[in-house]
Amino acid sequence: MTRPYYIAGNWKMHKTRSEAAELARTLTVKLKDGKHKYLVAPSFTSLETVGAIVKGTNILLGAQNMAAEEQGAHTGEVSVLQLKDLGVQVVILGHSERRHTYKEDDELVNKKVKLALRHGLDVILCIGELLSEREAGLAEKVCETQTRKGLEGVPVSDLARVTLAYEPVWAIGTGKTATPEDADAIHAYVRGVIERLYGASAAEKMIIQYGGSVKAENAAQLMAKENIDGALVGGASLKADTFVPIAMFG
Ligand code: 13P
């Protein structure tokens, strides 16, 4: 089967509202005739502004994280209800910066995944190994564990609302990209994990994005691989000039 390509821009902790609005406006124009699936994930502070701009276009509105609890005494956190109130459609969970800088573990990520799905949000669940883990031959094992634990308790009926993003930690923001072959090997492995958990048909349909120093120069080669179904783009998503060629590839 042919899976749609899904290209997402994770703006991380960049841009004021006016800067975010400017980029969002340009993207709505330049991606208007794009044939892939698109998402932008601005900071919480720009969600409302960007949401108003992308509403009704072919660009989905994503958040970069959310709390594991619905509401309550959680200073500094943002809840699923608040995201939905702003029109957020998708939430990125388990990003490596959340896992490694902010110490989120698989259990917490899983709680967030289930909460988001329960409230009707789509999820991009990020997985990926550290350089030390790759060097120790543990890349597959780490990705398998993060996938299994991240999806624990998620029924097959919700799986169509989950996208996986393989982001090897050593490739994020470093300019080092996994070779298309190495990335595809992990994607194929993870698809096999999904098959064992949910069956062949669910595995076949699962969109698995690659992330980690994706740029216009390497995007097409990566996405030409059988198991690479899109990209989760950080640095290159911050400017229309660098994001549009990735989003319009092919
Ligand atoms: P870079 O594209 O800057 O390497 O970031 C990738 C990423 O973390 C996207 O979520």
Side-chain angles (χ1 to χ4, degrees):
M1 73 165 275
T2 48
R3 290 174 290 270
Y5 286 108
Y6 185 3
I7 321 279
N10 173 7
W11 296 354
K12 305 193 180 181
M13 199 174 70
H14 293 284
K15 297 194 184 292
T16 60
R17 280 178 301 160
S18 61
E19 290 163 349
E22 190 187 333
L23 176 56
R25 260 186 237 112
T26 308
L27 293 179
T28 60
V29 175
K30 302 222 164 161
L31 302 186
K32 187 165 58 73
D33 300 319
K35 43 190 178 161
H36 310 308
K37 180 174 175 180
Y38 302 119
L39 168 118
V40 291
S43 296
F44 292 131
T45 51
S46 294
L47 280 171
E48 186 167 16
T49 304
V50 171
I53 295 167
V54 301
K55 193 172 179 174
T57 72
N58 60 344
I59 304 175
L60 295 167
L61 182 66
Q64 300 171 17
N65 188 25
M66 70 174 218
E69 303 296 332
E70 212 162 78
Q71 57 191 334
H74 297 279
T75 303
E77 293 287 307
V78 175
S79 88
V80 63
L81 303 175
Q82 295 165 331
L83 295 182
K84 285 190 56 172
D85 186 45
L86 292 176
V88 168
Q89 295 152 297
V90 184
V91 60
I92 298 171
L93 296 172
H95 191 278
S96 80
E97 287 144 21
R98 300 303 319 169
R99 291 178 188 270
H100 298 292
T101 315
Y102 296 98
K103 309 297 174 211
E104 294 194 9
D105 61 15
D106 285 318
E107 201 184 319
L108 184 74
V109 173
N110 175 247
K111 215 170 156 186
K112 294 183 180 194
V113 168
K114 286 188 290 196
L115 185 64
L117 291 172
R118 180 145 42 85
H119 283 276
L121 290 185
D122 289 359
V123 167
I124 295 178
L125 171 62
C126 302
I127 59 169
E129 81 285 359
L130 296 162
L131 182 59
S132 56
E133 292 166 335
R134 172 156 285 259
E135 286 172 349
L138 295 172
E140 290 181 347
K141 185 165 176 282
V142 169
C143 292
E144 173 157 6
T145 302
Q146 291 176 346
T147 303
R148 282 181 179 274
K149 292 195 171 172
L151 293 176
E152 212 167 276
V154 172
V156 69
S157 54
D158 279 349
L159 208 65
R161 294 194 288 122
V162 177
T163 295
L164 291 174
Y166 169 56
E167 299 204 306
V169 181
W170 47 272
I172 296 177
T174 58
K176 284 186 210 152
T177 322
T179 63
E181 291 68 30
D182 284 349
D184 191 56
I186 296 287
H187 284 227
Y189 183 82
V190 170
R191 198 177 300 288
V193 172
I194 297 294
E195 179 167 349
R196 292 196 286 285
L197 289 173
Y198 292 100
S201 161
E204 191 63 24
K205 290 186 197 128
M206 174 60 69
I207 295 178
I208 310 179
Q209 298 171 325
Y210 169 79
S213 301
V214 174
K215 335 182 223 324
E217 297 77 52
N218 58 26
Q221 289 110 287
L222 284 159
M223 288 189 275
K225 290 290 175 192
E226 189 183 336
N227 287 287
I228 303 182
D229 312 313
L232 182 53
V233 187
S237 74
L238 296 174
K239 290 195 178 126
D241 284 356
T242 46
F243 188 61
V244 170
I246 300 172
M248 296 296 282
F249 97 99

